[in-house]
Amino acid sequence: GAGVSQSPSNKVTEKGKDVELRCDPISGHTALYWYRQSLGQGLEFLIYFQGNSAPDKSGLPSDRFSAERTGGSVSTLTIQRTQQEDSAVYLCASSPYYEQYFGPGTRLTVT
Amino acid sequence: QKEVEQDPGPLSVPEGAIVSLNCTYSNSAFQYFMWYRQYSRKGPELLMYTYSSGNKEDGRFTAQVDKSSKYISLFIRDSQPSDSATYLCAMSGASYDKVIFGPGTSLSVIP
């Protein structure tokens, strides 16, 4: 079946611009996670959606970062006024229970 | 102290060796345990997941959980060059709790 998809796969933007990253989870999965991964580094948790509960935003690094999940399905991560330190791969994962299934990621480059 | 610790490596072994990858954790509430494999420039891929203590085997891979020691392991038998990747452990306390990842261990299997 279809896995988690993310778009775009690559995004190059100028410093100060806003970007939106999209995640389409596996149908029926109740949980959705966003992570950030810099080159050669581990996963940095950003935000967690579980069903209709309030999202866990404890990993968002600043108020320039926000995310929403519409209708319990598609999620969008928005980064406002991008900075060079935002350059990384942004990974989305969905989960039916506790195990997570990851998308291929969006590689963001801020110039 | 981080909630989940993992030796970052890099770990280099000859083809055919038995590999042991380990994680320790501090939260005794963790009871769901997962292992992920991540190839360079790809998203993490779920390898195995287990509940509570004990062993689980899948082909050349065996996952082992020792909750009394707060220690989990992934064994890879007859290691292959295609096993060269970063291996991440992950765990959660309840099925819908946020999952916590270890930083990952980089493995190279040399032909």
Side-chain angles (χ1 to χ4, degrees):
Chain A
V4 177
S5 61
Q6 292 185 245
S7 60
S9 54
N10 282 283
K11 176 72 176 178
V12 180
T13 190
E14 291 180 354
K15 177 181 172 181
K17 301 283 191 183
D18 297 353
V19 295
E20 285 191 352
L21 312 180
R22 177 186 169 106
C23 173
D24 285 84
I26 295 172
S27 178
H29 283 193
T30 57
L32 188 147
Y33 294 76
W34 282 98
Y35 297 92
R36 179 168 69 175
Q37 189 172 39
S38 300
L39 189 63
Q41 301 299 306
L43 296 175
E44 177 187 3
F45 166 76
L46 296 177
I47 189 168
Y48 165 47
F49 296 90
Q50 173 55 260
N52 295 320
S53 302
D56 179 343
K57 304 179 182 181
S58 60
L60 294 178
S62 77
D63 58 8
R64 296 187 296 106
F65 288 73
S66 62
E68 62 177 23
R69 188 179 185 193
T70 53
S73 180
V74 171
S75 179
T76 302
L77 177 70
T78 301
I79 308 173
Q80 296 179 310
R81 305 181 302 283
T82 52
Q83 304 294 312
Q84 287 188 327
E85 61 263 28
D86 300 334
S87 296
V89 175
Y90 289 81
L91 290 158
C92 170
S94 70
S95 173
Y97 194 42
Y98 58 92
E99 72 279 20
Q100 295 181 32
Y101 298 87
F102 282 81
T106 293
R107 185 171 301 275
L108 175 66
T109 304
V110 182
T111 61
Chain B
Q1 182 188 12
K2 292 185 177 178
E3 276 195 286
V4 180
E5 308 232 29
Q6 211 176 344
D7 186 335
L11 179 62
S12 184
V13 301
E15 183 176 354
I18 296 175
V19 177
S20 172
L21 303 165
N22 310 297
C23 286
T24 58
Y25 61 95
S26 57
N27 189 343
S28 58
F30 288 148
Q31 52 184 342
Y32 295 90
F33 303 93
M34 293 143 277
W35 285 96
Y36 291 82
R37 177 175 63 196
Q38 186 175 24
Y39 291 116
S40 181
R41 302 178 78 86
K42 299 287 187 183
E45 168 196 11
L46 180 65
L47 271 180
M48 299 184 72
Y49 54 96
T50 59
Y51 170 71
S52 195
S53 286
N55 293 1
K56 183 175 181 179
E57 189 173 320
D58 184 1
R60 296 185 296 111
F61 298 89
T62 299
Q64 193 172 80
V65 175
D66 181 349
K67 289 185 69 181
S68 63
S69 302
K70 300 192 185 69
Y71 189 90
I72 69 170
S73 300
L74 178 71
F75 297 97
I76 308 174
R77 289 183 299 281
D78 187 25
S79 56
Q80 302 296 308
S82 59
D83 296 328
S84 298
T86 296
Y87 290 80
L88 301 112
C89 64
M91 47 199 79
S92 70
S95 56
Y96 296 117
D97 276 358
K98 187 172 76 179
V99 172
I100 308 299
F101 277 82
T105 297
S106 175
L107 171 68
S108 290
V109 181
I110 310 302

